[in-house]
Every structure is written in C-alpha cells, then in structure tokens.
Amino acid sequence: MPTEKITIATDAGHELTGSLELPTGLVRGAALFAHCFTCTKQSRAAVSVARALAQEGIACLRFDFTGLGGSDGEFGRAGFATDVADLVAAAEELLVRFAQPILLVGHSLGGAAVLAAADDLGFDKVAAIATIGAPSDVPHVLQRIDGDLEAIRKEGEGEVTIGGRDFALSRDFLERVENIDLLEEVGRLKRPLLFLHSPTDAIVGIENASALFRAAKHPKSFVSLEGADHLLLDEADARFAASMIAAWASRYLPLRDDWPMPAKGVVVKTGHGKFGTEVHTRTHRFIADEPKSYGGDDSGPTPYDLLNAALGTCTAMTMKMYADGKGWPLEGATVEVTHERKHQDECDHVEAMEEGRPMQALVRRIELHGGKLSDDQRSRIIAIADKCPVHRTLESDLHVHTTGV
C-alpha cells in the first residue's frame, strides 16, 4: 500500500519525521501510532499495525519522537511530557487532513503517551484508544535505564545506556517522567479503550494491564498476546496484534455515509497509489490494483483478474444450479480462466477478424468434482458452461457507452 513521507512541526521549534500509511482505496478514518521507548517508527509493531489499519481503510501515521530516528531535538532533554506534546502535534496534522476524530495507538511507553495525550488533545477529537504492552506506572521506564540517575538529579545531566544505546539524560527528563499519574489520567478518559498485553511480558508485566483495565471506564476491552515478547519481535505476534486492533477499531471508525453504494451496477473511485481503486457494489466494497512490476502496490486483483473472475464465477454458479436442478451428484467445480491478448497466434481463422483489431480470448479450463457423475452428466454440465450469463454477454454484440460529468 502507498506510504507518504510527511514532516510535523512542533511547538518546540523542531521537526518530526513521519510515514503515513494510506489505504489503497478510500479512507474511512485516520490513526496515529506512538512507538515504544527509544524505538522508532520503523519498529516491527509500528509498521505492522500501521499497514494492517491501512488495509481496513484507516490511514495510519507512524512517526519518530523528538531526538529519535529522523526527528530533530535531543531525546535526553525531552521526557514524557515532550512525547505527549509530539503526539498532540502529530494528531493535529491528521485532524486537519481528515477532518474527523482519530484512533490513537501506542506501544509500550508510547501506549502510556497516547493515554495521556488524549486529555490534552480533547476527547471530541479522539475516536478510540488502543495500547500494546503499556506500563501503568510511567516512572517504570526508569528501571530500563543503565546509569547513575541520582547523580543526574544532583548534577543536572549524565550519560546512560538504554537498550544498548548511549544517551545523555537531563534532570528535566527524569522529572518529566516521574511527574505523571497515568491511572488518574485513564480514569478520566471518556473514549473506548483496548488494552493488548502479553502475560509473559518480561519488561512490562501483565499486572500493568490489570491496573490500567481496572482504572478505565467502559467501553473497555482486553486482548491477551499469549507467548509474545514485549517488542513483538516475532512477525506473527505483531500481525496478530495489528489484526485485533484493526478489527476492534472498525467499530469506532464506521464506513462513511458519503461512500457510494449504488442501487445497481458498480461505482469505481480512485484511491491512493499509482493504480489503487475501490469498487463499490450495492452491498460490497473491495480494492483493485496492479502488480508491483507494473508500478502498483499489488493490494488487490487487477482489472483483468476481475474480468476472468466474472466469467469463472458465473460459470461455476451456472453449472451448480443446472446440476442441482437435475439432482445430479456434482460436488463442486474448479474453473481456471486466463486471458490471451494475441489469440490469433492460436487460431486458423484470423481472416474473420476486422482490419486492425487483434483477436483476444478468455481460455477456460473446467474440472468437475464428484466421483458418482456419469460421463453423460459431465458432458452436459460442461456444455451448460457456455450458456452462463457472463459468457453470453462477452460473446454478444457488446457496446460500451460513456458519458462525462
């Protein structure tokens, strides 16, 4: 799916770098993802969740906090309050662009940050909030810092190691982390909440999820990430968490009322990426695209896939209806359809073509399933395939009439 690079200006005067994952088709809403402590927008959880949401029609922005990844500023002088301010700045970008309440998603300390940011942002701007492995006690993150914190409090600054990386931390950083009562913040939230946590999380224990869940008001939900590590390094764990958030979020970012649901036929609307389009029928919607080799994002079937599918599905339905009507033991069918653009190379009647018009063909291969079918029944079922409505339409004197608006 298409990814757009964006830059976010903060009140502190520096810029944050972000990646906006866009749905191939239409956008039903927007989400903001906050990464874990000292991670970046490229973490496995950030990428997996953002792209899973985009597949559900929810544009998702993942960005680097101050002083991390490609963002400006000094991480060691920022602290939790700066993370919250960064989130508010990024959220405002989404609110201006998509003009509707957004979903907030946070991983680890990023989860604590989105819970705190919702109050600063304003509940009317937040549709729902989901966290992954979030601590209930923000100062908990100080336990992950290898360094003399007391010396930093006395001297104002010092060198530490976090997750194998060296940072210079300030006294302000420590104070901003310590001066937050997250459970009180959660108790004030008036938005749907989803907490995801692994019972075997060795960095942020499951008791943190219990405390957050108890403090939260309804509607609230919990999903156990059994067997997952804190950083969701296993791709399967990251994908599972992403799918759970995407499914849950769809309840709070419903389909837009202005999306086309035609009374007949289909409506196709341009989406995002080079070829992304969204197809709407009376009761369904799906994506069409082109392969990456053609410059597309390969997020849906191609137009010719859909053409082949129209013939194949209609063939299978027609044969089944015919066999059922006869009471014959047809258990099912497999129909393979391919498109040949230069069919004249396979034919001996090229002279019948109009001048300058290449002959094309849809090649259909049918396999019937049902060991109790007689040879005569098989022959008659195969013969009825040529009478399916789509087959007849394609071989009729078909005209396409176009009007512009």
Side-chain angles (χ1 to χ4, degrees):
M1 59 203 61
T3 303
E4 180 181 325
K5 304 301 181 184
I6 69 170
T7 301
I8 304 154
T10 70
D11 290 341
H14 54 257
E15 293 184 337
L16 310 176
T17 62
S19 296
L20 180 63
E21 301 291 347
L22 289 164
T24 301
L26 303 185
V27 177
R28 71 190 295 171
L32 179 61
F33 186 94
H35 62 69
C36 55
F37 188 45
T38 73
C39 296
T40 71
K41 65 180 180 296
Q42 297 302 117
S43 72
R44 177 157 287 169
V47 174
S48 293
V49 171
R51 292 181 176 171
L53 289 171
Q55 287 178 341
E56 296 297 320
I58 302 169
C60 186
L61 172 62
R62 48 190 173 91
F63 73 99
D64 293 325
F65 281 116
T66 292
L68 295 172
S71 292
D72 297 338
E74 295 182 55
F75 170 80
R77 295 185 178 276
F80 188 74
T82 301
D83 288 352
V84 173
D86 289 350
L87 276 165
V88 172
E92 293 291 354
E93 291 279 334
L94 292 178
L95 290 163
V96 169
R97 178 160 177 173
F98 297 104
Q100 66 184 84
I102 64 173
L103 168 70
L104 298 179
V105 184
H107 181 201
S108 190
L109 187 63
V114 297
L115 292 170
D119 193 11
D120 291 359
L121 191 59
F123 298 137
D124 60 324
K125 298 179 181 179
V126 178
I129 306 166
T131 68
I132 306 169
S136 59
D137 177 25
V138 174
H140 173 277
V141 301
L142 299 182
Q143 300 173 18
R144 314 307 304 175
I145 298 176
D146 185 9
D148 191 341
L149 302 188
E150 286 305 317
I152 294 174
R153 290 188 178 94
K154 292 177 181 178
E155 299 173 12
E157 189 170 304
E159 297 294 323
V160 300
T161 301
I162 308 172
R165 299 168 59 191
D166 294 330
F167 293 95
L169 286 193
S170 68
R171 181 191 298 117
D172 285 347
F173 181 100
L174 301 180
E175 291 175 350
R176 290 172 179 176
V177 168
E178 291 169 330
N179 294 331
I180 178 72
D181 186 342
L182 189 60
L183 294 180
E184 182 182 348
E185 297 266 4
V186 170
R188 291 200 302 267
L189 294 179
K190 300 176 182 178
R191 282 294 174 266
L193 290 163
L194 171 65
F195 302 102
L196 299 96
H197 213 111
S198 170
T200 54
D201 191 327
I203 295 178
V204 179
I206 189 65
E207 67 276 5
N208 287 267
S210 298
L212 289 170
F213 193 84
R214 286 195 301 268
K217 304 294 191 296
H218 284 291
K220 57 183 178 179
S221 304
F222 174 79
V223 172
S224 175
L225 302 177
E226 183 180 1
D229 65 284
H230 180 68
L231 293 178
L232 299 185
L233 295 178
D234 188 309
E235 188 173 348
D237 292 332
R239 287 182 177 177
F240 174 74
S243 65
M244 291 295 100
I245 294 172
W248 173 82
S250 64
R251 185 177 186 89
Y252 303 107
L253 293 171
L255 293 177
R256 293 166 58 107
D257 292 337
D258 60 349
W259 279 14
M261 301 298 275
K264 61 179 180 178
V266 302
V267 172
V268 176
K269 293 184 74 71
T270 301
H272 300 92
K274 188 173 182 179
F275 296 112
T277 56
E278 186 157 311
V279 183
H280 294 254
T281 72
R282 186 173 62 85
T283 54
H284 299 281
R285 48 182 285 272
F286 58 91
I287 300 299
D289 202 350
E290 289 285 2
K292 291 183 178 180
S293 59
Y294 278 69
D297 292 293
D298 198 25
S299 54
T302 71
Y304 276 101
D305 288 338
L306 298 176
L307 176 64
N308 294 343
L311 178 61
T313 53
C314 189
T315 297
M317 293 175 187
T318 299
M319 292 189 302
K320 185 175 187 306
M321 182 176 64
Y322 179 73
D324 287 349
K326 295 289 188 181
W328 294 345
L330 174 65
E331 296 174 3
T334 299
V335 183
E336 298 178 11
V337 182
T338 56
H339 173 239
E340 293 183 358
R341 281 189 169 84
K342 296 182 179 180
H343 188 59
Q344 61 266 31
D345 297 340
E346 309 296 327
C347 300
D348 56 7
H349 55 279
V350 178
E351 68 279 358
M353 295 190 305
E354 294 183 23
E355 186 69 25
R357 290 186 62 185
M359 178 176 287
Q360 302 186 52
L362 296 179
V363 179
R364 179 174 54 190
R365 178 182 177 277
I366 300 172
E367 179 182 356
L368 300 181
H369 307 299
K372 296 181 180 180
L373 287 169
S374 68
D375 290 343
D376 178 64
Q377 289 171 339
R378 288 178 176 273
S379 296
R380 291 170 67 181
I381 292 172
I382 293 293
I384 207 68
D386 287 341
K387 294 180 171 57
C388 89
V390 170
H391 184 131
R392 288 182 169 181
T393 296
L394 292 171
E395 289 198 330
S396 67
D397 190 7
L398 182 64
H399 294 260
V400 176
H401 299 279
T402 303
T403 59
V405 179

